[in-house]
Amino acid sequence: MAESDSVGVLVLIAYPDSGPRTTVYRVVLPDSAAPSPGTARLGVQRIQYLALAYRGVGGWVAVSDLGRRVTGQFDVTLADVTTQREMRYVGSFRDVRIEPWPRELCALEARTDSAAADSVR
């Protein structure tokens, strides 16, 4: 969604099944299941002397204007993907160009459990 010299932010929003899309989206943990309608997932990568990655584990993303560009704000709890240390991340975004994913990238594929397959002989 946003990128600068040292920080990249990605927000994935699952629009609600009905009602306005300009609303507040609850941030949920990323997992392998399809996101529930009306939720958001957020990831941050910060590069300084070394790369640091964080995932959103709570909070909200509010969308106040939505068209070909999006405007809003967020107040989320991030967890470092290595240490699990949590921190608060607050900010806003304005007139960010929306880049929808192709429909084929939005579908979940069935995955086999390779560990289970290896253990059955």
Side-chain angles (χ1 to χ4, degrees):
M1 176 175 199
E3 191 172 355
S4 69
D5 290 341
S6 62
V7 177
V9 178
L10 176 67
V11 177
L12 301 175
I13 293 176
Y15 293 131
D17 289 332
S18 62
R21 292 180 171 179
T22 51
T23 188
V24 175
Y25 295 87
R26 182 175 49 88
V27 173
V28 296
L29 287 170
D31 58 20
S32 60
S36 300
T39 62
R41 295 178 178 175
L42 186 130
V44 176
Q45 183 175 15
R46 183 176 176 198
I47 300 175
Q48 288 182 311
Y49 297 107
L50 38 114
L52 303 171
Y54 306 91
R55 64 183 182 157
V57 295
W60 51 266
V61 176
V63 174
S64 57
D65 188 28
L66 181 63
R68 291 189 175 173
R69 296 184 173 271
V70 62
T71 297
Q73 55 191 355
F74 56 88
D75 185 342
V76 299
T77 300
L78 296 177
D80 183 296
V81 297
T82 304
T83 67
Q84 300 305 313
R85 191 183 82 183
E86 292 185 359
M87 67 191 77
R88 186 173 179 205
Y89 192 54
V90 178
S92 63
F93 46 96
R94 183 175 170 201
D95 293 330
V96 177
R97 186 181 65 190
I98 294 178
E99 297 180 24
W101 285 3
R103 183 174 290 290
E104 61 271 13
L105 294 179
C106 296
L108 290 175
E109 295 181 17
R111 297 184 340 186
T112 60
D113 184 352
S114 60
D118 290 342
S119 64
V120 177
R121 295 181 192 259

